[in-house]
Amino acid sequence: MDKIFIRGLKVETIIGIYDWERTLKRPLVFDVELGCDTREAASSDRMRDSIDYAAVGQTIRDIAVELQPELLETLAEKIARTLFERFPVLSVRLTIDKPGAIPDVKGVGVEIDRRREDYAVCGR
């Protein structure tokens, strides 16, 4: 399977379970890997046969800013579901890092792996 990726997408948003976290924006860093078939795009050299990286990045940004959930897990799941709805991807691996969430730790976050068929089974 081919992969398209975006690494290090930074988004400022409100996220967290504590009252103080709900009052100020904090940075999140996203890495996303999209499993897809790039052969048609490679052959045609046309954007319409590929996945628009900018649109994927904007989708992630929009969801993070608008949803403002308490949990990274909730945000990750919403992003994955939306990417399957909007783009012809077969799999999504998404990592969200919440810098500064724990003092003296380089990184804290969540990573999920989803396949398109994961959602067909549960009907969502």
Side-chain angles (χ1 to χ4, degrees):
M1 182 181 320
D2 304 324
K3 306 226 180 203
I4 290 175
F5 64 86
I6 297 173
R7 294 189 183 125
L9 174 65
K10 295 178 185 173
V11 178
E12 296 271 333
T13 191
I14 293 175
I15 190 162
I17 60 171
Y18 301 109
D19 289 340
W20 66 267
E21 289 181 298
R22 309 301 301 166
T23 62
L24 58 124
K25 291 182 178 181
R26 61 180 307 131
L28 297 177
V29 181
F30 297 84
D31 292 333
V32 64
E33 187 176 279
L34 307 173
C36 56
D37 186 343
T38 63
R39 288 177 290 189
E40 190 171 341
S43 176
S44 72
D45 199 29
R46 293 190 178 130
M47 184 61 218
R48 71 171 188 227
D49 297 325
S50 187
I51 294 173
D52 185 339
Y53 316 149
V56 170
Q58 191 61 52
T59 297
I60 293 169
R61 185 179 308 282
D62 290 347
I63 293 169
V65 169
E66 292 169 17
L67 187 61
Q68 297 183 1
E70 291 186 355
L71 300 177
L72 290 174
E73 293 86 345
T74 303
L75 180 57
E77 191 66 29
K78 174 64 175 173
I79 290 170
R81 286 180 183 272
T82 303
L83 293 176
F84 284 116
E85 291 169 5
R86 296 186 184 175
F87 302 97
V89 297
L90 303 172
S91 66
V92 172
R93 173 177 284 163
L94 176 68
T95 303
I96 307 174
D97 187 5
K98 188 176 178 184
I102 298 176
D104 302 319
V105 173
K106 183 178 178 182
V108 169
V110 65
E111 179 175 284
I112 65 170
D113 285 295
R114 298 290 184 268
R115 294 176 304 184
R116 182 170 289 280
E117 57 266 23
D118 292 339
Y119 298 110
V121 171
C122 69
R124 294 186 198 171

